[in-house]
């Protein structure tokens, strides 16, 4: 499923990628690559908070130096 999620991301089918990533981490909660791909898919949709909280952080990415802004230039992290 996670490889399919990567393929969905490449063709900009982010909803499908998110679905597959969520299923992957349901099966294996320690699968960091699925969390990273989940973060990427959320980020591509403009859902920056979920990208960080549900994806990148759980995937082990260091987000301490990140400053992300939403479309209205509000700091979200």
């Amino acid at each position: 499923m996670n490889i399919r999620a990567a393929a969905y991301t490449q063709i900009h089918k982010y909803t499908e990628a998110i679905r597959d990533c969520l299923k992957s981490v349901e099966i294996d909660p320690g699968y960091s690559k699925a969390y990273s791909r989940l973060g990427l898919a959320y980020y591509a949709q403009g859902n920056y908070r979920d990208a960080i909280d549900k994806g990148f952080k759980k995937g082990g990415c260091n987000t301490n130096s990140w400053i992300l802004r939403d479309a209205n230039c509000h700091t979200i992290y």
Side-chain angles (χ1 to χ4, degrees), residues 13 18 21 23 25 29 32 42-43 45-46 51 61 74:
K13 292 191 174 198
I18 290 168
C21 289
K23 187 63 176 174
V25 298
S32 63
Y42 279 132
Y43 186 87
Q45 289 184 324
C61 295
H74 296 105

Side-chain angles (χ1 to χ4, degrees), residues 8-67:
Y8 280 139
T9 301
Q10 291 296 312
I11 59 173
H12 307 283
K13 292 191 174 198
Y14 302 116
T15 301
E16 292 86 347
I18 290 168
R19 182 193 62 228
D20 279 0
C21 289
L22 291 172
K23 187 63 176 174
S24 291
V25 298
E26 180 182 319
I27 294 167
D28 182 0
Y31 191 23
S32 63
K33 191 176 274 190
Y35 286 113
S36 296
R37 287 193 175 127
L38 180 60
L40 176 64
Y42 279 132
Y43 186 87
Q45 289 184 324
N47 189 346
Y48 307 119
R49 173 56 50 204
D50 283 345
I52 292 169
D53 292 340
K54 295 180 181 178
F56 298 132
K57 277 186 180 178
K58 288 188 174 187
C61 295
N62 180 0
T63 58
N64 291 334
S65 62
W66 291 13
I67 298 176

